Amino acid sequence: MDAPSRLADRMQRGDVFAPRCPSREVLKHVTSTWGVLVLIALRGGTLRFSELRRKAAGVSERMLAQTLQQLEGDGLLVRRSYPVVPPHVEYSLTEFGQEAAQHVEALADWIEERLPELAKAAEP
């Protein structure tokens, strides 16, 4: 196999170790604190902005809005806006979002289960 076709094969999959690979941006969005919490929260179904903000306690409106825009831009969630007063906006996961949420939830579960051991291992 020649070099150009090997490169093409790699770029179809993505190469997170390559400095300019777009997968790094998606990884950053999915693994950010708020990205993880949004993905896990939406595994349970469609939620409105205010419901997401309550679930992800401590997130500012601005940061939540930015996180939602990033995840939507990555194709992981869908934003539905209804033309009513007051505005009604709902968020739900796409098929890719469901898959990503499953993986980050498994990591979050592992952290929660291992928290005592992790805390002890971090002691000086």
Side-chain angles (χ1 to χ4, degrees):
M1 182 182 287
D2 62 10
S5 60
R6 282 193 307 255
L7 176 62
D9 290 343
R10 266 198 351 238
M11 291 312 294
Q12 284 181 355
R13 180 183 182 279
D15 182 0
V16 75
F17 291 103
R20 293 195 177 130
C21 184
S23 64
R24 284 190 177 192
E25 279 302 301
V26 176
L27 181 65
K28 182 171 72 174
H29 301 155
V30 168
T31 60
S32 72
T33 299
W34 306 121
V36 167
L37 295 178
V38 164
L39 289 169
I40 293 172
L42 289 173
R43 276 202 82 196
T46 301
L47 293 173
R48 294 178 71 174
F49 186 91
S50 59
E51 294 169 317
L52 279 168
R53 186 145 185 245
R54 277 192 296 279
K55 277 196 171 264
V59 67
S60 69
E61 283 189 29
R62 181 174 180 245
M63 185 54 69
L64 180 56
Q66 180 181 336
T67 300
L68 291 167
Q69 288 172 347
Q70 290 168 339
L71 294 173
E72 181 183 16
D74 294 335
L76 301 175
L77 65 82
V78 175
R79 177 185 187 274
R80 288 191 181 85
S81 180
Y82 299 92
V84 294
V85 177
H88 181 95
V89 180
E90 295 178 338
Y91 298 89
S92 57
L93 294 175
T94 63
E95 187 176 328
F96 287 132
Q98 286 286 353
E99 194 174 331
Q102 179 181 352
H103 291 290
V104 296
E105 185 173 41
L107 177 59
D109 285 345
W110 179 84
I111 291 168
E112 288 175 338
E113 289 171 5
R114 296 291 188 221
L115 196 55
E117 294 101 333
L118 291 168
K120 189 170 183 166
E123 289 177 0

